[in-house]
Amino acid sequence: MKSVLLIGLGRFGQSVAEKLNELHHQVMAIDKNEERVNEVLPLVTDAQIGDATNKAFLKSLGVDNFDVCFVAIGEDFQSSLETTALLKELGAKKVVSRASREMHRQFLLRNGADEVVYPEAQLASWTAIRNTTDHILDYIALDSEYAIYDISVPAEWCGKTVGGLDIRKKYNLNLLAVREDGKPSTAVNSETLLREKQTVLVLGKWKDIQKCFRI
């Protein structure tokens, strides 16, 4: 269990609050809007109405006592930057800020954010890849180059073992699991036999995925 300061309770902030609640973390939620604060009260440990760009108010929260501070302000560029900078100035251990565009992301990093999330760009990328490639069922981007992909087993792989295909050496990919009927198995070794209607979870670079699966 971690202590979390969540600043900004728009749609993204509320979604973060819901997930943190599911994970049983202790959450202090902040927003200038009283209605938004009241909406998340059932999901968080405590909530306050306040302006996070006010240094005195932010200092009163004891930001250095939280394990992580989320700045989920997406609409107000200036407020997001000011809040991020103030959190670091006041000794916040880790600041994760939300960006609404690429320029915003760059400025947040320069102003002290330890990590920046860019949900619109990440969702756009997922949507484009997922819906233009029939055999990629899902993927999780790890950074600009690497990701984990859930991909249908190619027809030419069916009836062959992982060792026989030598996936890591030939394609520079790591096979993490095999999924069948929606159930993943991580007990993958050189003797694992691949079959039709299975999918594989592979970790690698996008360019190697393209080459291996002819995307």
Side-chain angles (χ1 to χ4, degrees), residues 43-113:
L43 303 172
V44 298
T45 311
D46 196 6
Q48 289 192 33
I49 303 166
D51 182 359
T53 64
N54 183 308
K55 186 175 181 179
F57 170 70
L58 211 55
K59 187 175 181 179
S60 72
L61 301 174
V63 298
D64 57 329
N65 294 318
F66 292 94
D67 294 308
V68 59
C69 299
F70 287 106
V71 181
I73 303 169
E75 309 84 17
D76 190 333
F77 179 77
Q78 187 64 32
S79 292
S80 177
L81 289 176
E82 289 181 18
T83 301
T84 297
L86 281 173
L87 285 169
K88 294 306 290 185
E89 182 182 332
L90 293 170
K93 297 171 185 173
K94 182 177 182 180
V95 179
V96 179
S97 300
R98 177 199 174 186
S100 57
R101 55 188 184 274
E102 178 59 24
M103 183 184 293
H104 194 178
R105 186 187 73 84
Q106 293 176 13
F107 274 100
L108 285 167
L109 290 171
R110 292 174 189 170
N111 277 266

Side-chain angles (χ1 to χ4, degrees), residues 27-200:
V27 181
M28 163 70 82
I30 304 296
D31 199 281
K32 292 189 292 186
N33 186 299
E34 182 178 359
E35 184 178 345
R36 289 179 175 180
V37 171
N38 291 333
E39 285 178 359
V40 301
L41 275 174
L43 303 172
V44 298
T45 311
D46 196 6
Q48 289 192 33
I49 303 166
D51 182 359
T53 64
N54 183 308
K55 186 175 181 179
F57 170 70
L58 211 55
K59 187 175 181 179
S60 72
L61 301 174
V63 298
D64 57 329
N65 294 318
F66 292 94
D67 294 308
V68 59
C69 299
F70 287 106
V71 181
I73 303 169
E75 309 84 17
D76 190 333
F77 179 77
Q78 187 64 32
S79 292
S80 177
L81 289 176
E82 289 181 18
T83 301
T84 297
L86 281 173
L87 285 169
K88 294 306 290 185
E89 182 182 332
L90 293 170
K93 297 171 185 173
K94 182 177 182 180
V95 179
V96 179
S97 300
R98 177 199 174 186
S100 57
R101 55 188 184 274
E102 178 59 24
M103 183 184 293
H104 194 178
R105 186 187 73 84
Q106 293 176 13
F107 274 100
L108 285 167
L109 290 171
R110 292 174 189 170
N111 277 266
D114 297 294
E115 185 178 331
V116 175
V117 293
Y118 191 175
E120 289 85 358
Q122 291 161 348
L123 180 58
S125 178
W126 183 92
T127 301
I129 292 174
R130 173 64 185 86
N131 291 283
T132 57
T133 49
D134 295 335
H135 47 299
I136 295 182
L137 305 182
D138 201 357
Y139 92 104
I140 302 171
L142 302 179
D143 59 24
S144 59
E145 285 189 284
Y146 288 87
I148 297 173
Y149 296 81
D150 186 4
I151 302 179
S152 300
V153 173
E156 61 268 27
W157 288 15
C158 294
K160 299 179 181 178
T161 64
V162 172
L165 291 167
D166 204 3
I167 296 168
R168 180 177 296 179
K169 185 176 180 179
K170 286 183 180 178
Y171 304 107
N172 199 30
L173 300 175
N174 291 302
L175 202 158
L176 305 178
V178 175
R179 190 195 302 270
E180 189 166 4
D181 296 325
K183 298 178 181 179
S185 171
T186 57
V188 179
N189 56 50
S190 61
E191 301 303 315
T192 299
L193 186 68
L194 299 178
R195 298 188 295 272
E196 189 180 358
K197 296 184 179 180
Q198 288 180 329
T199 66
V200 289

